């Protein structure tokens, strides 16, 4: 068989794709110094320092912090360096499959809220995360491939580009099922989670509101 026969070339291409997907999904931490200044991260640093000291290791919280930065920062830089050549291909084809290991809980989560209203009517909630609302809509937006589009946008300055495409598609589904609705609003309300003893959690802050209108989305 020739060295560059199609079966061998195909096997090589498949192997490269599998390798990149493996590097994209392997749970490597990606931690920055700014991340570790958050109260929840500081609590984790204190806890792990205590674990190390219980084994007789002479470490301080500063040592644990530097180790976390060394491990997390190095792993993150390595992943980005190796995967950078594949970013244009993944962006065009939508084949990215990232899954990172949670270094600590996210204290600033985004809660998806979907509301609709008829012309000259009042807003009515159709869905509120995690599972309040119409059953068909709950099942749809909680599906892992749908949830992955909006789930990480709550604490960003603005949602990613795929979020706009999602609201356009999802609004058409809602307008089809609700012929009287004239507008549908999608929000990612900011939810701040605090540790015990840090006081009451502040009220949710409406954020990233996007309104889709029937005359713009339905043929």
């Amino acid at each position: 068989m020739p060295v560059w026969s199609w079966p061998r070339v195909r096997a090589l291409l498949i192997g490269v794709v599998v390798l990149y997907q493996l590097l994209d999904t392997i749970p490597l931490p990606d931690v920055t110094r700014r991340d570790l200044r958050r109260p929840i991260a500081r609590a984790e640093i204190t806890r792990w320092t205590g674990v190390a000291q219980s084994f007789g290791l002479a470490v301080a919280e500063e040592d644990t912090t530097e180790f976390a930065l060394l491990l997390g920062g190095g792993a993150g830089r390595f992943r980005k360096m190796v995967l950078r050549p594949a970013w244009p291909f993944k962006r065009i084809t939508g084949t990215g499959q990232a899954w990172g290991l949670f270094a600590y809980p996210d204290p600033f989560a985004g809660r998806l809220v979907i509301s609709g209203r008829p012309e000259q009517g009042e807003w009515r909630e159709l869905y509120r995360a995690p599972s309040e609302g119409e059953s068909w809509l709950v099942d749809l937006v909680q599906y892992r491939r749908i949830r992955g589009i909006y789930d990480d946008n709550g604490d960003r300055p603005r949602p990613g580009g795929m979020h706009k495409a999602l609201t356009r598609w999802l609004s058409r589904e809602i307008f089809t099922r609700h012929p009287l609705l004239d507008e549908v609003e999608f929000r990612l309300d900011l939810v701040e989670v605090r540790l015990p003893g840090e006081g009451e959690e502040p009220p949710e802050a409406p954020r990233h509101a996007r309104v889709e209108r029937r005359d713009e989305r339905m043929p």
Side-chain angles (χ1 to χ4, degrees):
M1 180 181 295
V3 175
W4 294 110
S5 63
W6 170 240
R8 289 181 173 174
V9 172
R10 182 177 59 185
L12 177 62
L13 292 175
I14 293 174
V16 170
V17 171
V18 171
L19 176 62
Y20 269 88
Q21 291 292 346
L22 176 64
L23 289 174
D24 212 1
T25 57
I26 190 172
L28 295 176
D30 190 359
V31 181
T32 66
R33 193 174 295 278
R34 179 172 176 268
D35 295 329
L36 295 183
R37 285 198 293 265
R38 293 177 173 176
I40 291 180
R42 295 308 310 169
E44 287 294 302
I45 291 292
T46 300
R47 185 170 70 88
W48 282 106
T49 301
V51 171
Q53 291 173 347
S54 69
F55 284 94
L57 299 177
V59 297
E61 291 190 10
E62 292 75 12
D63 301 320
T64 307
T65 299
E66 293 303 320
F67 179 76
L69 289 171
L70 176 64
L71 180 63
R77 287 191 297 271
F78 171 77
R79 188 209 303 270
K80 292 175 182 177
M81 178 187 67
V82 175
L83 295 180
R84 186 172 290 113
W87 285 351
F89 175 79
K90 293 194 301 179
R91 184 166 54 249
I92 294 172
T93 61
T95 53
Q97 185 62 44
W99 181 76
L101 182 65
F102 297 115
Y104 53 86
D106 185 0
F108 302 102
R111 186 193 304 280
L112 177 63
V113 180
I114 304 175
S115 304
R117 72 173 175 182
E119 188 176 5
Q120 307 301 325
E122 299 293 329
W123 287 105
R124 176 173 65 88
E125 279 193 6
L126 306 175
Y127 171 79
R128 172 177 287 269
S131 58
E132 298 179 16
E134 302 180 7
S135 58
W136 73 273
L137 192 53
V138 172
D139 293 340
L140 182 61
V141 298
Q142 287 187 346
Y143 178 56
R144 58 187 176 86
R145 294 190 180 276
I146 300 297
R147 189 179 69 246
I149 298 176
Y150 65 84
D151 201 35
D152 192 36
N153 288 303
D155 60 347
R156 292 183 179 183
R158 61 181 61 86
M162 288 295 292
H163 182 72
K164 181 185 294 185
L166 173 65
T167 62
R168 290 177 174 177
W169 171 75
L170 195 51
S171 65
R172 288 194 292 268
E173 296 294 316
I174 295 174
F175 287 138
T176 300
R177 290 176 177 261
H178 292 276
L180 298 181
L181 290 183
D182 187 62
E183 294 179 321
V184 176
E185 180 191 61
F186 300 85
R187 299 198 320 268
L188 288 168
D189 291 356
L190 188 65
V191 180
E192 183 177 343
V193 181
R194 294 185 176 180
L195 291 171
E198 291 184 340
E200 294 185 3
E201 297 175 357
E204 298 179 12
R207 203 173 188 210
H208 300 331
R210 178 176 175 82
V211 176
E212 301 286 356
R213 295 174 174 83
R214 176 179 291 275
D215 58 2
E216 296 175 353
R217 295 293 163 246
M218 301 300 287

